[in-house]
Structures are given as C-alpha cells and as structure tokens.
Amino acid sequence: MKKIGVASFAMLLAAATAFSGCTKQNTAESPAKGSEDPKASQAPSASPVKEEGYSLPIVKDGSVTLRYGGWDNWYAPASLSQNLPVWQEIEKRTGVKIKWEVAPVAQYTTSMQAKLAAAKDLPDIIALPIELSKAIESGVIEPLDELINKYAPNIKKFMADNPTEFNKMKAPDGKLYSLAAVTTGGAMTDPFGFLIRKDWLDKLGLQEPKTLDDWYNALKAIKEKDPNGNGKADEIPFMPQYGYKGLGMFGNALGLHLFYSNGYYPDENGKVRFEWMTPEAKELVVWLNKLYKEGLIDPGFLQKTEETIIAGISRDQVGSTIHFLSRAGQFDTLAQQAGASNANWLLTIPPAQPGYKPHYEKYGPISGNWVISKESKNKEAAIKWLDYIYASEEGNRLVTFGIEGVSYKMVNGEPEYMDFVMKNPDGLDPANTLRSIGAYPPTPWIRAAKGPLSKSPAALLKNNPKSLEQAKRVESMMVDNEPFAVITAQEIEELAFVSADMQTYIDETIVNFITGKEPIDWEKFTAKLKQYGIEKILKVSQQQYDRFINKQ
C-alpha cells in the first residue's frame, strides 16, 4: 500500500494552520513524518471550555500522563504511539499527556490478558481484551458511576439521551464499569456485508448474486474462468474472516442471524431459538460443505485475518469476502495497484432464498469495553479525558473529522470532509486517510444515529456517490442484532449449570461438518446440545428478550 507523501500533507497543514491550531510532529509513517519541525509554532487552541464537571484544559499542561492500553491504529503505518496530529491537538486542549501502550490486536490481547491476570502494572485506561464480568470479578477495574456523576457531564448527558445504549453498557449488578463504542449511526451508513468484485462478474457475464444458487455459480466461475486474466488458476472465490462465523453470514439467505447474533434470535412469534439447531442451518451447512469440497471457499478460512485478506486482494486474487462498505474503496485501490485498473468492489444485496426477505444485521449498538483500572492514581483526570474524547462535541469532532483546514472544513456551520480525505492524493481510502492522522480511532467513540454526535457516518458518504448508493440500496434490509436486555446476576447463576464444553462442541462440530471431517448428523448434533444444557440458555435469552421488548 502506498504511504501518504510528506509534501502533500505538509502543504495542506501549512494552509490550515490559521484555522486549526494543529501542531506538526515527527512520526515514522504518518502524513506528518520527515523533516517537519516538531516545535513549529501554530495558532492557539480554542478558548477554554467550561463544563459542569470540568473546564479545559483538564489539568495544568503536561502535569498528568495517563497510560492507555489498547489496540493500535487500524492503519498500521501510523501507530498511535507516534503521537499523531489529532491526539497532539487533544493533548494541547486537555493538558493531558498520553503514553500509548498499544499493539496489534493479537499481541495486545495476549500481553494485556497476562497483566490483568497478575493485576499489576496496569494502564490507567484499558481496552478490555477479556469478558467484562471477569474483570469485575477480579476487582481490577473501577466502577464509573460516581466518577461520571462528578466529573463527566457529556457522558452523563449522552446516557440520559440514549437509555437503550446506556442500559446495554451496565453490568448485571446495575453499575457501570465500562464505556463502549456506540455505532448506531455507522451501522446504517457503513453496513457490514458481502463484498464482491463487480468487475469480475461483468467480465464473466454474471449478474450480482442474490440467491445461494447465484452465489454458487458466481464463485464457481471465479474459480474456473480466470477473471484476473493471468492465465493461472490462482483466484480465491470466497475468503472470509472470523472462522465459520464468517461463512455463517450466508445463513441470512435462509432467514438466520448467525453472525452478530451468534444464532440466538427470536422468531416471528417472539420465541427465542438457537438457530444453529434449525433445519435451515442444516441446509446451510450442507451447502457450505459443497462449496468447501469444490474449493470455492478458501481452505484456510479458519486462520484468515484482516492481514491475509488484504494480502490476497493486493495480489488481485480474492473474488469476494465480508467486510464494511467503507473498505470497498481501499480494496479497489489495492487491486488497482496490483494491475487491475478496473477493480470495482461492490456491497451486494443480502442473499435470500425464495420465500425469505433479504437482511443484513446491524452491528452494535455498542461495541467493546474501555475501563479505568482500580490502581490508577489519576481516575479523575482519566474520566474527564474520556468524557472529552468520547462524548463532548469538540472531542468527538476531532476523532471523527480530524484537523480543521486539513481533513475538514466548516460549511454552513457543519463539518465537511475535504479532498485530502475524499480524494486523497496518495491513494488512501477515506477511513485510512483519517486514521493516518489519528482520527477514526480504536478508542471509545460515539457514532450515534441521532443528536450532535451523529454527523460522522453520513459525512463520509456525502461526497462519495458510489458508497452512498450502495448504503441506500440495503438501508431497508438492515435488522437489529441481539435484541436482548442486560443479563442479571440471577440469570448468570442459572447459566452456571450449563456445560462449559458446549461452545467448544458447537465450534468443532460445525467446522467438521463444513470441511467434511465428519458426516452431517443433525439429529445427533441437536441432541448433544440439549444434553449440554442449551435449553437453559434459551430460557434466559427469552427472559432477556421479553425484558428488552417491554422497555421499548
């Protein structure tokens, strides 16, 4: 992938200085790298903002350093540890320095799990890589209710205005221990679904696939008819990630909800089912087994990651995958750099068999857990800093739009992305352009469906007709995932009697069915789940669903 050139960013930054108050800095692979002077003087930051719980700056400049443990930037060349422009601006406005203790997902998860288990040397703020209930039980994290009431007016207001999301963040004991990313806006404007090479379909004389038969025929043609034109049988028709769950998204065609909802979903009569036990799921598994045997699914699908999919697309080999609509532009660029000048990735209409309505599950409404460690000596500064970046309009604009005059400008009182983002001179897609300067981060972030923190998702589409059209095509087909209320302490106790081996059995058996390692015996599979205690889970899920519906 091409990296953003220093010169193009430097010219934009210089032109924007009078408007943005942005500070230049040294970074290894970011837009601001190279010979730029990290001490260059810039326009002053915005005037101090007074809130009920605090005013800016939060602390005397540089007097507090918070350690932040989390996943690193999704755009790998620009690590958060490089103190990217957006975060340097946030530091200037809040006075709080951040020591970024970040790493790629797998590395971070392993190292932070070990630290949490030892309960030593924990950062002040932690992106939690374990179940929230485990962190609460271990006593290593701080309840946030009192801190928010005293010091976080923006979080307090957002939660009052968005009770559904707030209630989903609560622990079974009714307390709030973590903040979660809110994605209700992004779920509609940046849907997650099937992406396919439309230019390959055109070359093969095929229409966009809409049924499972259509998908089979398209994948078979991609495998056998050399759409990349290199004379080699090196095309990978379908390369998903997330293991068999990625394949399970084809269950949408049969009315199932196997991806975000994990198969626990109410039917049309409001009865919660475990959909992996249904006849429809058997039909899906038989179909997936056929695809696997014929080499239409990447044989290493269990090990595929974001990085391996990107690598395959960069070699002009991947015909389809599952991802966010916003990644289509990046995929186009990667394939074009590999020589496929007409590369055109399309978010497809959700597949649906006759008699079923097409649907994609919305992601969210919340995602992830960010907590404050109990041993932190700077809890007040930590919650104020989180309040600013997470729920204040000013902080949300910085993490959403970046630096005024560089990545966005104000038009009729509203922020609007500039050409640096929408038509990046170095070929980056909009999301990665923003990440290269520190916006669109892996920190807690609100992309709401309504209110003042709702502008980010639609703004990226405003000047992107192709993505806007594709988002609009599936808008009416989006359905909620996991429509359940928060589990209670009593319900957790009820589930303690469910065999801990059940999920392992489900995972291994479905994979073995798909790959042909064992014959598909659905009666044996469903009977075994009943022995493990699936009915207890369904009983609790039904209670959660009924509570959720009653609150609506």
Side-chain angles (χ1 to χ4, degrees), residues 56-208:
L56 294 181
I58 292 168
V59 297
K60 185 178 178 182
D61 189 30
S63 63
V64 172
T65 296
L66 295 175
R67 294 168 60 200
Y68 177 97
W71 299 277
D72 206 348
N73 201 345
W74 303 126
Y75 178 61
S79 170
L80 291 173
S81 63
Q82 297 167 359
N83 201 14
L84 302 172
V86 164
W87 296 100
Q88 195 165 61
E89 183 63 25
I90 288 172
E91 179 184 322
K92 188 194 305 185
R93 298 188 188 194
T94 63
V96 177
K97 289 185 175 293
I98 297 295
K99 181 182 179 185
W100 298 98
E101 299 179 8
V102 292
V105 173
Q107 296 173 32
Y108 170 74
T109 297
T110 301
S111 62
M112 186 53 69
Q113 283 177 342
K115 282 187 176 184
L116 287 165
K120 290 181 180 178
D121 191 33
L122 293 173
D124 298 279
I125 299 168
I126 304 167
L128 209 58
I130 62 173
E131 291 293 331
L132 179 61
S133 58
K134 292 181 181 178
I136 295 170
E137 185 179 347
S138 67
V140 296
I141 62 176
E142 184 76 9
L144 302 181
D145 303 84
E146 186 176 345
L147 288 170
I148 288 172
N149 279 330
K150 284 185 177 180
Y151 306 119
N154 295 297
I155 294 175
K156 190 174 178 180
K157 182 179 186 306
F158 180 79
M159 289 178 171
D161 293 341
N162 297 270
T164 299
E165 289 75 19
F166 177 38
N167 285 330
K168 280 185 172 286
M169 292 184 209
K170 285 182 180 178
D173 62 6
K175 294 181 181 179
L176 187 74
Y177 291 87
S178 77
L179 298 176
V182 176
T183 63
T184 49
M188 296 300 290
T189 55
D190 188 16
F192 191 98
F194 289 100
L195 296 176
I196 196 167
R197 281 286 294 269
K198 176 66 165 57
D199 57 307
W200 282 9
L201 294 177
D202 293 343
K203 186 174 182 179
L204 296 169
L206 296 172
Q207 298 296 313
E208 174 186 353

Side-chain angles (χ1 to χ4, degrees), residues 491-523:
E491 288 167 342
I492 289 176
E493 207 171 303
E494 291 180 50
L495 294 180
F497 297 99
V498 176
S499 173
D501 296 328
M502 186 179 73
Q503 191 58 53
T504 300
Y505 172 75
I506 292 170
D507 296 343
E508 291 179 351
T509 303
I510 292 174
V511 168
N512 288 342
F513 285 167
I514 292 171
T515 58
K517 289 185 179 178
E518 63 178 277
I520 299 172
D521 187 337
W522 215 248
E523 287 186 9

